[in-house]
Amino acid sequence: MSKLDELIAEFCPEGVEYEKFENVCKYIRGVTYKKTQEVNSEASNARKVLRANNITLSTNALNFDDVKLISRNVKVREDQILRKKDILICAGSGSKEHIGKIAYISEDIDYTFGGFMAVIRCCKELNSRFFFHILTSELFSKHLRNTLNSSTINNLNAEIMNNFRFPLPPLPVQQETVRILDNFTELTAELTAELTARRKQYEYYRDELFGRNYDEMILKCKRDNVELVSLHELGKFTRGKRFVRKDMREEGVPCIHYGDLYTHYGTSARETKWFLEK
């Protein structure tokens, strides 16, 4: 039995109760300002503003690309300054997939956030990192799909958030869950970085061989008496058969079209003389 299982058995022998967002969280919308209130980087009284583009969707992490600056004359409440353990969330976007994307604030930073953003602050009964993981889960995604419609697609408002229900175990269970999930997050980041480095390495050597130094490679082959052949000497290039809708079948001869290079559609077609030819 794992430590998490032991904690659940100790603290949740009757199961885990669900709680509503509004009972354990505050939902704070961001600062609204006019275009004329933006300032350049040379302004001494500039205040930094995070917007939807400052959350990377694929990693649920902050990035500081294209941070807007506004004048200190813009009214910013104290609770609109980002704090450690805040969860920054995109509350408005022209793209539905960006609604609800989040980033965790791991330390106090002297930033505010724009009007299409919001901050979630958790009460002491709810570990904010635990809730961060819940907001990246299918549970929250399903809630958004069920509640957002054409009239609210650009506004993840307090009512939608307040009605979100989620499991709230005792703090020891939350903390152990966070430890496990954070370990997986760290491993995923390491593997992603390794994969990115290997991809760059592959692209470098590929381009060295077949791109920038291709002519040099040909000359070297000739100097070293390496045989050079034309593509037609290695095989036969055969074009595929054009299919129309009436050829498609749920069962039949499996066939591949251009989309299957990336996605398998399980396409089949009726048998024809063309298929049976050797």
Side-chain angles (χ1 to χ4, degrees), residues 141-169:
S141 297
K142 183 178 180 180
H143 174 72
L144 294 183
R145 290 195 300 269
N146 291 338
T147 55
L148 289 175
N149 53 49
S150 59
S151 64
T152 59
I153 185 171
N154 291 319
N155 184 24
L156 182 55
N157 56 40
E159 181 181 359
I160 292 173
M161 292 302 302
N162 285 338
N163 288 323
F164 176 51
R165 294 176 61 85
F166 59 93
L168 183 60

Side-chain angles (χ1 to χ4, degrees), residues 183-196:
N183 282 343
F184 277 114
T185 301
E186 184 177 350
L187 289 172
T188 300
E190 291 175 358
L191 290 172
T192 301
E194 177 69 15
L195 180 61
T196 299

Side-chain angles (χ1 to χ4, degrees), residues 10-241:
E10 178 182 355
F11 291 98
C12 316
E14 303 299 326
V16 177
E17 294 184 0
Y18 274 60
E19 185 58 271
K20 288 186 69 173
F21 177 94
E22 64 181 343
N23 295 331
V24 289
C25 298
K26 289 184 178 180
Y27 189 65
I28 303 164
R29 291 299 292 258
V31 176
T32 57
Y33 56 90
K34 300 178 181 178
K35 185 72 175 177
T36 55
Q37 293 174 307
E38 294 180 2
V39 296
N40 58 43
S41 58
E42 298 177 358
S44 59
N45 65 338
R47 187 187 294 276
K48 291 171 283 191
V49 182
L50 295 180
R51 299 168 297 146
N53 65 293
N54 296 118
I55 297 179
T56 304
L57 179 61
S58 60
T59 59
N60 293 309
L62 281 181
N63 70 73
F64 297 96
D65 303 328
D66 190 26
V67 173
K68 287 293 183 183
L69 300 174
I70 59 173
S71 169
R72 291 269 176 177
N73 294 328
V74 176
K75 183 178 180 181
V76 178
R77 302 191 311 269
E78 182 64 27
D79 64 356
Q80 291 174 319
I81 302 297
L82 288 168
R83 307 172 188 171
K84 183 178 180 179
K85 299 183 179 181
D86 279 349
I87 300 172
L88 184 64
I89 185 169
C90 176
S93 172
S95 175
K96 191 172 184 178
E97 68 174 351
H98 289 276
I99 297 290
K101 68 177 181 177
I102 61 172
Y104 187 76
I105 309 301
S106 57
E107 60 184 358
D108 292 331
I109 53 178
D110 188 21
Y111 284 75
T112 185
F113 46 100
F116 290 110
M117 307 296 291
V119 147
I120 296 169
R121 292 201 174 111
C122 304
C123 72
K124 62 181 181 180
E125 290 83 12
L126 175 60
N127 183 306
S128 60
R129 187 69 182 175
F130 175 81
F131 193 55
F132 167 83
H133 287 300
I134 285 180
L135 293 177
T136 64
S137 73
E138 175 61 19
L139 180 66
F140 186 59
S141 297
K142 183 178 180 180
H143 174 72
L144 294 183
R145 290 195 300 269
N146 291 338
T147 55
L148 289 175
N149 53 49
S150 59
S151 64
T152 59
I153 185 171
N154 291 319
N155 184 24
L156 182 55
N157 56 40
E159 181 181 359
I160 292 173
M161 292 302 302
N162 285 338
N163 288 323
F164 176 51
R165 294 176 61 85
F166 59 93
L168 183 60
L171 280 172
V173 177
Q174 294 180 45
Q175 291 161 358
E176 179 62 11
T177 303
V178 168
R179 185 190 68 80
I180 293 171
L181 294 179
D182 279 354
N183 282 343
F184 277 114
T185 301
E186 184 177 350
L187 289 172
T188 300
E190 291 175 358
L191 290 172
T192 301
E194 177 69 15
L195 180 61
T196 299
R198 295 303 178 201
R199 184 180 293 113
K200 288 182 179 179
Q201 187 180 43
Y202 162 77
E203 291 172 352
Y204 171 80
Y205 285 108
R206 179 199 62 196
D207 293 342
E208 284 294 305
L209 287 171
F210 305 114
R212 293 183 292 271
N213 295 326
Y214 179 74
D215 292 337
E216 293 180 15
M217 182 187 70
I218 297 298
L219 291 174
K220 187 176 187 303
C221 287
K222 291 180 178 180
R223 289 195 301 267
D224 296 340
N225 295 318
V226 175
E227 183 182 5
L228 297 173
V229 298
S230 299
L231 183 62
H232 76 273
E233 300 176 66
L234 299 177
K236 183 180 179 181
F237 181 72
T238 305
R239 294 294 296 267
K241 182 184 186 304

